[in-house]
PDB file of all heavy atoms in Angstrom:
ATOM      1  N   GLY A1060     119.016 128.334  39.601  1.00  0.00           N
ATOM      2  CA  GLY A1060     118.290 127.293  40.311  1.00  0.00           C
ATOM      3  C   GLY A1060     119.151 126.513  41.290  1.00  0.00           C
ATOM      4  O   GLY A1060     118.699 125.539  41.873  1.00  0.00           O
ATOM      5  N   THR A1061     120.411 126.937  41.505  1.00  0.00           N
ATOM      6  CA  THR A1061     121.308 126.224  42.409  1.00  0.00           C
ATOM      7  C   THR A1061     122.232 127.198  43.126  1.00  0.00           C
ATOM      8  O   THR A1061     122.502 128.289  42.623  1.00  0.00           O
ATOM      9  CB  THR A1061     122.158 125.176  41.646  1.00  0.00           C
ATOM     10  OG1 THR A1061     122.996 124.486  42.575  1.00  0.00           O
ATOM     11  CG2 THR A1061     123.001 125.812  40.562  1.00  0.00           C
ATOM     12  N   TRP A1062     122.715 126.801  44.274  1.00  0.00           N
ATOM     13  CA  TRP A1062     123.640 127.636  45.037  1.00  0.00           C
ATOM     14  C   TRP A1062     125.079 127.475  44.555  1.00  0.00           C
ATOM     15  O   TRP A1062     125.927 128.293  44.894  1.00  0.00           O
ATOM     16  CB  TRP A1062     123.549 127.323  46.536  1.00  0.00           C
ATOM     17  CG  TRP A1062     124.125 125.987  46.903  1.00  0.00           C
ATOM     18  CD1 TRP A1062     123.490 124.779  46.825  1.00  0.00           C
ATOM     19  CD2 TRP A1062     125.433 125.714  47.389  1.00  0.00           C
ATOM     20  NE1 TRP A1062     124.326 123.776  47.234  1.00  0.00           N
ATOM     21  CE2 TRP A1062     125.535 124.317  47.583  1.00  0.00           C
ATOM     22  CE3 TRP A1062     126.538 126.507  47.670  1.00  0.00           C
ATOM     23  CZ2 TRP A1062     126.688 123.708  48.051  1.00  0.00           C
ATOM     24  CZ3 TRP A1062     127.688 125.898  48.139  1.00  0.00           C
ATOM     25  CH2 TRP A1062     127.759 124.516  48.326  1.00  0.00           C
ATOM     26  N   THR A1063     125.353 126.460  43.759  1.00  0.00           N
ATOM     27  CA  THR A1063     126.734 126.210  43.343  1.00  0.00           C
ATOM     28  C   THR A1063     127.249 127.231  42.329  1.00  0.00           C
ATOM     29  O   THR A1063     128.454 127.488  42.273  1.00  0.00           O
ATOM     30  CB  THR A1063     126.893 124.784  42.789  1.00  0.00           C
ATOM     31  OG1 THR A1063     125.989 124.594  41.697  1.00  0.00           O
ATOM     32  CG2 THR A1063     126.617 123.749  43.884  1.00  0.00           C
ATOM     33  N   VAL A1064     126.377 127.804  41.532  1.00  0.00           N
ATOM     34  CA  VAL A1064     126.808 128.830  40.572  1.00  0.00           C
ATOM     35  C   VAL A1064     127.289 130.078  41.316  1.00  0.00           C
ATOM     36  O   VAL A1064     128.398 130.560  41.051  1.00  0.00           O
ATOM     37  CB  VAL A1064     125.709 129.132  39.532  1.00  0.00           C
ATOM     38  CG1 VAL A1064     126.056 130.361  38.709  1.00  0.00           C
ATOM     39  CG2 VAL A1064     125.489 127.924  38.633  1.00  0.00           C
ATOM     40  N   PRO A1065     126.515 130.633  42.261  1.00  0.00           N
ATOM     41  CA  PRO A1065     127.071 131.762  43.009  1.00  0.00           C
ATOM     42  C   PRO A1065     128.305 131.372  43.835  1.00  0.00           C
ATOM     43  O   PRO A1065     129.190 132.210  44.038  1.00  0.00           O
ATOM     44  CB  PRO A1065     125.919 132.232  43.901  1.00  0.00           C
ATOM     45  CG  PRO A1065     124.862 131.210  43.803  1.00  0.00           C
ATOM     46  CD  PRO A1065     125.104 130.407  42.582  1.00  0.00           C
ATOM     47  N   ALA A1066     128.390 130.136  44.285  1.00  0.00           N
ATOM     48  CA  ALA A1066     129.584 129.706  45.019  1.00  0.00           C
ATOM     49  C   ALA A1066     130.812 129.764  44.117  1.00  0.00           C
ATOM     50  O   ALA A1066     131.884 130.210  44.539  1.00  0.00           O
ATOM     51  CB  ALA A1066     129.389 128.296  45.580  1.00  0.00           C
ATOM     52  N   ALA A1067     130.670 129.343  42.873  1.00  0.00           N
ATOM     53  CA  ALA A1067     131.791 129.395  41.927  1.00  0.00           C
ATOM     54  C   ALA A1067     132.177 130.845  41.629  1.00  0.00           C
ATOM     55  O   ALA A1067     133.373 131.186  41.567  1.00  0.00           O
ATOM     56  CB  ALA A1067     131.437 128.661  40.636  1.00  0.00           C
ATOM     57  N   THR A1068     131.195 131.714  41.464  1.00  0.00           N
ATOM     58  CA  THR A1068     131.465 133.128  41.213  1.00  0.00           C
ATOM     59  C   THR A1068     132.160 133.768  42.412  1.00  0.00           C
ATOM     60  O   THR A1068     133.138 134.509  42.264  1.00  0.00           O
ATOM     61  CB  THR A1068     130.156 133.881  40.897  1.00  0.00           C
ATOM     62  OG1 THR A1068     129.558 133.285  39.745  1.00  0.00           O
ATOM     63  CG2 THR A1068     130.399 135.355  40.649  1.00  0.00           C
ATOM     64  N   HIS A1069     131.661 133.477  43.600  1.00  0.00           N
ATOM     65  CA  HIS A1069     132.240 134.035  44.827  1.00  0.00           C
ATOM     66  C   HIS A1069     133.676 133.540  45.004  1.00  0.00           C
ATOM     67  O   HIS A1069     134.571 134.318  45.344  1.00  0.00           O
ATOM     68  CB  HIS A1069     131.366 133.631  46.016  1.00  0.00           C
ATOM     69  CG  HIS A1069     131.665 134.347  47.285  1.00  0.00           C
ATOM     70  ND1 HIS A1069     130.784 134.386  48.325  1.00  0.00           N
ATOM     71  CD2 HIS A1069     132.751 135.034  47.717  1.00  0.00           C
ATOM     72  CE1 HIS A1069     131.298 135.068  49.335  1.00  0.00           C
ATOM     73  NE2 HIS A1069     132.512 135.473  48.983  1.00  0.00           N
ATOM     74  N   ALA A1070     133.916 132.257  44.751  1.00  0.00           N
ATOM     75  CA  ALA A1070     135.273 131.705  44.854  1.00  0.00           C
ATOM     76  C   ALA A1070     136.204 132.391  43.854  1.00  0.00           C
ATOM     77  O   ALA A1070     137.353 132.722  44.182  1.00  0.00           O
ATOM     78  CB  ALA A1070     135.243 130.195  44.632  1.00  0.00           C
ATOM     79  N   ALA A1071     135.716 132.624  42.645  1.00  0.00           N
ATOM     80  CA  ALA A1071     136.526 133.311  41.632  1.00  0.00           C
ATOM     81  C   ALA A1071     136.853 134.736  42.083  1.00  0.00           C
ATOM     82  O   ALA A1071     137.974 135.218  41.886  1.00  0.00           O
ATOM     83  CB  ALA A1071     135.799 133.328  40.292  1.00  0.00           C
ATOM     84  N   ALA A1072     135.895 135.413  42.702  1.00  0.00           N
ATOM     85  CA  ALA A1072     136.139 136.766  43.208  1.00  0.00           C
ATOM     86  C   ALA A1072     137.194 136.747  44.307  1.00  0.00           C
ATOM     87  O   ALA A1072     138.060 137.640  44.355  1.00  0.00           O
ATOM     88  CB  ALA A1072     134.844 137.374  43.734  1.00  0.00           C
ATOM     89  N   GLU A1073     137.145 135.755  45.167  1.00  0.00           N
ATOM     90  CA  GLU A1073     138.156 135.643  46.232  1.00  0.00           C
ATOM     91  C   GLU A1073     139.547 135.408  45.633  1.00  0.00           C
ATOM     92  O   GLU A1073     140.531 135.995  46.090  1.00  0.00           O
ATOM     93  CB  GLU A1073     137.791 134.509  47.194  1.00  0.00           C
ATOM     94  CG  GLU A1073     136.533 134.760  48.004  1.00  0.00           C
ATOM     95  CD  GLU A1073     136.673 135.861  49.034  1.00  0.00           C
ATOM     96  OE1 GLU A1073     137.819 136.204  49.418  1.00  0.00           O
ATOM     97  OE2 GLU A1073     135.650 136.391  49.469  1.00  0.00           O
ATOM     98  N   LEU A1074     139.627 134.550  44.639  1.00  0.00           N
ATOM     99  CA  LEU A1074     140.916 134.294  43.993  1.00  0.00           C
ATOM    100  C   LEU A1074     141.431 135.541  43.279  1.00  0.00           C
ATOM    101  O   LEU A1074     142.622 135.841  43.335  1.00  0.00           O
ATOM    102  CB  LEU A1074     140.800 133.125  43.016  1.00  0.00           C
ATOM    103  CG  LEU A1074     140.612 131.752  43.671  1.00  0.00           C
ATOM    104  CD1 LEU A1074     140.342 130.690  42.606  1.00  0.00           C
ATOM    105  CD2 LEU A1074     141.811 131.382  44.509  1.00  0.00           C
ATOM    106  N   LEU A1075     140.537 136.272  42.648  1.00  0.00           N
ATOM    107  CA  LEU A1075     140.931 137.511  41.990  1.00  0.00           C
ATOM    108  C   LEU A1075     141.472 138.516  43.010  1.00  0.00           C
ATOM    109  O   LEU A1075     142.450 139.218  42.742  1.00  0.00           O
ATOM    110  CB  LEU A1075     139.744 138.089  41.215  1.00  0.00           C
ATOM    111  CG  LEU A1075     139.999 139.333  40.389  1.00  0.00           C
ATOM    112  CD1 LEU A1075     141.045 139.070  39.312  1.00  0.00           C
ATOM    113  CD2 LEU A1075     138.694 139.813  39.749  1.00  0.00           C
ATOM    114  N   ALA A1076     140.861 138.557  44.175  1.00  0.00           N
ATOM    115  CA  ALA A1076     141.324 139.473  45.239  1.00  0.00           C
ATOM    116  C   ALA A1076     142.738 139.113  45.681  1.00  0.00           C
ATOM    117  O   ALA A1076     143.546 140.000  45.955  1.00  0.00           O
ATOM    118  CB  ALA A1076     140.364 139.434  46.423  1.00  0.00           C
ATOM    119  N   VAL A1077     143.035 137.834  45.745  1.00  0.00           N
ATOM    120  CA  VAL A1077     144.366 137.401  46.162  1.00  0.00           C
ATOM    121  C   VAL A1077     145.399 137.708  45.086  1.00  0.00           C
ATOM    122  O   VAL A1077     146.524 138.103  45.381  1.00  0.00           O
ATOM    123  CB  VAL A1077     144.359 135.890  46.498  1.00  0.00           C
ATOM    124  CG1 VAL A1077     145.775 135.377  46.726  1.00  0.00           C
ATOM    125  CG2 VAL A1077     143.500 135.624  47.726  1.00  0.00           C
ATOM    126  N   LEU A1078     145.009 137.544  43.838  1.00  0.00           N
ATOM    127  CA  LEU A1078     145.943 137.747  42.729  1.00  0.00           C
ATOM    128  C   LEU A1078     146.222 139.215  42.432  1.00  0.00           C
ATOM    129  O   LEU A1078     147.187 139.516  41.745  1.00  0.00           O
ATOM    130  CB  LEU A1078     145.405 137.056  41.472  1.00  0.00           C
ATOM    131  CG  LEU A1078     145.268 135.535  41.574  1.00  0.00           C
ATOM    132  CD1 LEU A1078     144.598 134.985  40.322  1.00  0.00           C
ATOM    133  CD2 LEU A1078     146.617 134.895  41.803  1.00  0.00           C
TER     134      LEU A1078
END
Side-chain angles (χ1 to χ4, degrees):
T1061 181
W1062 71 277
T1063 57
V1064 170
T1068 301
H1069 192 162
E1073 293 291 340
L1074 290 173
L1075 184 61
V1077 171
L1078 297 174

